[in-house]
Amino acid sequence: MRAVDISAVKRPTRRRATGRDELAWWREARFGLFIHWGLYAIPAGVWRGQRVPYIGEWLMFREKIPVATYAPLAAKFHPRHWDAAAIVRLAREAGMGYLVVTTKHHDGFAMYRSTVSPYNVVDATPWHHDPIADLARECRRQGIRLCFYYSQDLDWHHPDGAWNTWDYAKEKKNPDRYLREKVLPQLTELLTRYGPVGMVWFDTPLTLTRDQSASIRRHVKRLQPHCLVSGRIGHGLGDYSLPRDNFLPPGRLEGDWETCATLNHTWGFKKHDHEWKSAANLITTLVDLTSKGSNYLLNIGPDADGRVPAPSVQRLRAIGAWLRVNGTAIHGAAPSPFRYEFPWGRITTKGRTLYFHFFAKPPRLFRLHGLKTRVTSVAALAAPRKKFLFRQTTAVATGTPILALDLTGLRFSAPVTVVAVQLAGPPTVEALTLQQPDRAITLIGPLARVGTDAKAATLRMGGNGLTENWRTTSDWLQWRFTVLQPGTYDVTVVTTHQHLEPWSGGHTLRVDCADRTLRRKTTREAILPGLRSAYFPQIATRFGRLVFDRAGTFTLRLQATRLNLAKKNKTLFSDGGIQFSEIRLVPSR
Ligand code: FHN
């Protein structure tokens, strides 16, 4: 079978109005700890002496291990180094506000004391101990919200659970019986025995009907009305949305989102996965996601002895050290008022304060285009007493507001230095994409107008900021944007794909702008550097040049003239069409 990433939510969550703001604590936290721990930590990615590719907790599925062979792993589970207090302390030290632990993953094994099924950590292991009870106690004691991961659809142990077809014939499966016999009663246990639960983090809604997802949601809310339900309950019925695993959106997202991500490449412990992301990468990612309106749920996978891998501990502590200085720009922060990213860093907001997060030492005279609100003072978060000079002017040709900061004496501290910009009122900015001082212009999908030459467009912008269902040559994307510096610009179209799935390329696209038409086939000319490319390679195709003969507002339209809709590009989660990310306009040399 082709490796697929099974993290997609087919439909983004619709926000519903409730009397009280159930998401307030979750928005305040912005950063949470994910814990994947289960029997899969014993083989740790190795089966019958062979390294098994893909994520560790999928080993049973990858190797099609019969239940009769996999279940006896439980007899070996006796984690001598399990220390719930230390793990919760680690989450606190990292500056996290909540913790989501796997109570039952796809292998069907309950990591808590369950009377519904003897296949659980207390009854089936020599340890006879409930680690979820430990975590519940420690979360209460240390002030971290306790949340439960629960695999509501895939279950490779229960005969009626989804996707174990090597032990149990698909035709004989009765999914309703699985829900009735296992999912709902186990949720009752989880939501009645451990005190208040912040959220049930459901996952991989691959076979559930809308009614089934709805009945699970109702069940949770009946037992704990304030408990949140993750977007992966399916059918848009969650309290917030999730993009795919490790996905970083091209621009600001609308609504409430959470990206869950790994520290190396696996969720459940794998002894051979040593590709740890650097602390700088993780801090930058936290900033990036906060600026785009997404929480960051970052995973650890304890080993079979209960130990958290040392590289995970080091990295979480490094993030915590950064947050102790800069946390006010993250915790409870709202996204950037600008919907696109900047090459120099990101912006987060709190009330009348904008936080400029610099990813490298900024020039002494730093400029930003498009902020309309009056600035009242500017200081670094790390040294708030020193105030920097600033000036606000207007570009004559376009009326664009320009903010200039004199950052003389700013001490840059890697990886991200934060400068707080106080405003006289709530931030307002130019709505159109604007050329910034680096002179590049990036047109992202979420800022495009979707149009069509036919009656109705089938193309739409997915909630995650990538295009969906681009299946006809009648549909197009169109932007209006402001150029400040006339000149010749190189045009690059960037498309993407989940790195384990096929890239849908070879489409002929046409760019119309400034009295020119450029036409090219999307080919893989380069992968753009940057955080986003790690799991979703940003594939660049050069489209030629445009000339802007004046400063002002222009329109650019992108349309396909020939689509290459190959069947092989369709996966469980991709319709096989173009996953458009952005167009970059960069001054020609
Ligand atoms: O299949 C699971 C995977 O094992 C892991 O739990 C991740 C975490 O988001 N969720 C599913 C894949 O997206």
Side-chain angles (χ1 to χ4, degrees):
M1 197 191 109
R2 195 186 167 84
V4 290
D5 161 77
I6 21 59
S7 62
V9 176
K10 288 188 182 143
R11 231 163 294 170
T13 292
R14 262 165 286 124
R15 294 219 291 162
R16 55 182 65 70
T18 56
R20 79 185 235 170
D21 192 357
E22 307 288 3
L23 285 157
W25 67 264
W26 178 87
R27 288 197 200 107
E28 176 63 32
R30 286 287 169 234
F31 190 30
L33 181 69
F34 215 171
I35 307 175
H36 276 69
W37 198 40
L39 296 183
Y40 38 79
I42 299 169
V46 177
W47 194 247
R48 299 197 196 290
Q50 299 295 317
R51 291 186 192 185
V52 180
Y54 204 48
I55 42 187
E57 68 284 3
W58 271 70
L59 183 119
M60 180 178 179
F61 181 86
R62 291 290 301 210
E63 293 295 299
K64 304 292 180 290
I65 303 173
V67 167
T69 311
Y70 186 87
L73 283 175
K76 297 188 189 158
F77 196 72
H78 203 316
R80 278 156 305 173
H81 296 284
W82 168 249
D83 185 347
I87 289 186
V88 177
R89 203 175 318 118
L90 180 62
R92 270 181 65 94
E93 279 170 13
M96 293 161 154
Y98 59 112
L99 167 163
V100 183
V101 58
T102 46
T103 56
K104 186 205 77 156
H105 204 269
H106 310 331
D107 65 1
F109 187 72
M111 286 296 286
Y112 70 98
R113 178 195 299 275
S114 172
T115 44
V116 173
S117 156
Y119 194 47
N120 74 74
V121 68
V122 178
D123 296 317
T125 74
W127 195 30
H128 300 301
H129 187 84
D130 182 344
I132 303 299
D134 300 337
L135 286 172
R137 186 189 61 242
E138 284 305 323
C139 280
R140 242 186 336 265
R141 208 168 61 79
Q142 301 192 44
I144 294 277
R145 288 263 176 172
L146 173 74
C147 307
F148 294 149
Y149 173 107
Y150 189 90
S151 176
Q152 81 281 21
D153 189 9
L154 300 189
D155 189 309
W156 307 321
H157 184 264
H158 193 286
D160 295 314
W163 279 33
N164 179 345
T165 48
W166 56 97
D167 282 306
Y168 314 114
K170 195 171 171 202
E171 317 73 69
K172 293 204 181 141
K173 284 182 188 281
N174 178 343
D176 280 328
R177 189 164 54 200
Y178 160 63
L179 292 188
R180 216 174 37 241
E181 284 183 356
K182 190 163 183 183
V183 176
L184 299 181
Q186 287 204 326
L187 287 171
T188 304
E189 293 178 330
L190 289 166
L191 292 165
T192 53
R193 295 183 181 168
Y194 299 98
V197 175
M199 157 178 15
V200 182
W201 207 98
F202 293 109
D203 201 4
T204 50
L206 295 173
T207 71
L208 295 178
T209 63
R210 190 176 202 285
D211 280 354
Q212 288 167 335
S213 294
S215 73
I216 297 172
R217 180 186 163 93
R218 269 198 310 275
H219 190 72
V220 171
K221 298 284 176 179
R222 210 172 22 238
L223 292 164
Q224 291 209 20
H226 305 308
C227 178
L228 299 177
V229 163
S230 78
R232 290 191 191 164
I233 192 166
H235 301 277
L237 292 171
D239 291 313
Y240 65 89
S241 307
L242 288 125
R244 298 181 69 174
D245 296 346
N246 285 305
F247 177 79
L248 301 176
R252 195 181 80 198
L253 302 168
E254 299 310 316
D256 291 297
W257 288 78
E258 179 187 64
T259 285
C260 57
T262 48
L263 276 167
N264 44 358
H265 295 304
T266 184
W267 303 91
F269 179 73
K270 268 185 101 170
K271 59 179 127 194
H272 298 293
D273 185 345
H274 303 300
E275 278 192 46
W276 301 98
K277 294 168 186 101
S278 67
N281 171 319
L282 300 164
I283 291 167
T284 312
T285 301
L286 174 62
V287 169
D288 178 63
L289 287 170
T290 309
S291 81
K292 290 170 179 170
S294 175
N295 276 22
Y296 189 25
L297 183 62
L298 190 54
N299 183 69
I300 56 169
D303 69 13
D305 270 335
R307 269 182 303 235
V308 180
S312 301
V313 175
Q314 287 152 9
R315 280 154 181 80
L316 293 181
R317 290 201 176 130
I319 303 173
W322 183 85
L323 279 171
R324 275 191 285 286
V325 178
N326 302 293
T328 183
I330 299 290
H331 296 132
S336 169
F338 293 89
R339 291 180 64 190
Y340 48 92
E341 27 175 81
F342 302 105
W344 53 265
R346 300 288 183 271
I347 295 179
T348 59
T349 316
K350 208 180 258 178
R352 296 179 170 197
T353 308
L354 292 182
Y355 297 102
F356 289 15
H357 299 251
F358 291 105
F359 292 169
K361 187 171 171 55
R364 191 184 61 75
L365 201 64
F366 170 81
R367 279 180 304 136
L368 176 79
H369 295 163
L371 174 67
K372 294 177 171 175
T373 323
R374 198 164 58 78
V375 171
T376 56
S377 86
V378 179
L381 271 189
R385 282 216 294 272
K386 177 177 168 50
K387 304 290 179 206
F388 296 107
L389 298 175
F390 57 90
R391 209 155 83 91
Q392 287 178 287
T393 53
T394 306
V396 183
T398 55
T400 304
I402 298 177
L403 167 68
L405 306 183
D406 179 350
L407 296 176
T408 307
L410 173 72
R411 283 193 51 181
F412 178 75
S413 159
V416 181
T417 294
V418 183
V419 169
V421 176
Q422 306 295 341
L423 306 178
T428 53
V429 303
E430 293 278 348
L432 288 189
T433 303
L434 200 55
Q435 184 168 31
Q436 290 293 331
D438 69 313
R439 299 179 65 208
I441 300 168
T442 303
L443 305 174
I444 58 170
L447 280 170
R449 185 179 136 221
V450 178
T452 185
D453 300 333
K455 272 207 183 111
T458 53
L459 162 66
R460 54 176 182 263
M461 277 315 306
N464 62 359
L466 302 181
T467 48
E468 288 176 356
N469 213 30
W470 197 334
R471 312 197 64 79
T472 79
T473 52
S474 345
D475 298 345
W476 38 260
L477 297 176
Q478 186 171 292
W479 294 262
R480 286 182 66 230
F481 58 97
T482 306
V483 174
L484 296 174
Q485 299 254 335
T488 305
Y489 286 73
D490 293 332
V491 180
T492 302
V493 172
V494 184
T495 55
T496 188
H497 66 120
Q498 203 280 343
H499 69 128
L500 297 172
E501 295 178 6
W503 172 62
S504 171
H507 308 279
T508 308
L509 299 181
R510 163 183 166 170
V511 169
D512 286 293
C513 181
D515 300 325
R516 279 201 188 190
T517 297
L518 311 173
R519 211 187 295 259
R520 290 282 186 289
K521 207 183 250 186
T522 51
T523 51
R524 192 191 296 263
E525 288 171 7
I527 308 280
L528 299 179
L531 289 177
R532 268 190 268 155
S533 278
Y535 293 91
F536 290 80
Q538 301 292 303
I539 300 176
T541 311
R542 277 186 296 272
F543 265 62
R545 289 180 166 175
L546 291 173
V547 179
F548 300 111
D549 56 3
R550 60 179 170 84
T553 297
F554 289 81
T555 300
L556 184 148
R557 182 178 286 193
L558 179 71
Q559 188 160 15
T561 56
R562 213 174 135 267
L563 284 159
N564 175 34
L565 296 172
K567 257 212 189 115
K568 65 173 172 46
N569 291 345
K570 270 197 163 191
T571 68
L572 261 183
F573 306 106
S574 163
D575 52 45
I578 310 169
Q579 293 189 61
F580 169 82
S581 193
E582 63 195 33
I583 297 189
R584 294 193 181 184
L585 309 176
V586 178
S588 308
R589 292 219 188 127

